[in-house]
Amino acid sequence: MAGPYVPGWERRCFSFPLRIPVGRPGAKALMADYNQVRDGKTALEQGAGYRIEYAEANHRQLGRQRLPQQLVFDRQDDLLGYLRKTCEFERFTAGSISPM
């Protein structure tokens, strides 16, 4: 007989640091939309609550490019803060969320 269901967050089965891959532009997109790619990279670098792991790509016309490869959330609190779900999660874990 199986025991009672225990959600993942109670069992602490979500492992941190949590790595989330960031889509990398292909060579054509990098060349055609360079300003958009640069602006997206800048926006990621100005974010808070995560680290960015980079990979280098060598582009024939643009040279060596350092592009984000994945976002890394070190703690659950960092992820919840980034998602703006901290208060909701606290209410949920306290059992105070009522059905709609």
Side-chain angles (χ1 to χ4, degrees):
M1 183 169 173
Y5 172 73
V6 179
W9 53 268
E10 282 188 6
R11 288 180 284 140
R12 306 249 184 243
C13 71
F14 301 119
S15 61
F16 285 89
L18 177 64
R19 289 176 162 72
I20 300 176
V22 176
R24 275 180 72 179
K28 285 184 182 180
L30 191 58
M31 192 67 183
D33 301 321
Y34 182 78
N35 289 334
Q36 185 177 358
V37 172
R38 183 192 62 215
D39 293 347
K41 178 183 174 198
T42 301
L44 277 177
E45 291 171 340
Q46 293 174 351
Y50 55 82
R51 293 181 289 118
I52 303 172
E53 292 184 352
Y54 293 89
E56 289 195 358
N58 197 14
H59 190 276
R60 189 178 314 171
Q61 291 155 327
L62 297 173
R64 186 169 296 254
Q65 300 293 312
R66 187 171 171 249
L67 301 171
Q69 183 174 12
Q70 50 190 344
L71 301 180
V72 181
F73 294 91
D74 289 317
R75 300 173 310 136
Q76 177 176 288
D77 293 341
D78 295 333
L79 176 62
L80 291 170
Y82 174 77
L83 296 173
R84 296 184 176 121
K85 297 293 183 181
T86 303
C87 291
E88 289 177 29
F89 184 75
E90 288 172 0
R91 285 195 319 264
F92 177 76
T93 56
S96 63
I97 290 186
S98 60
M100 298 179 108

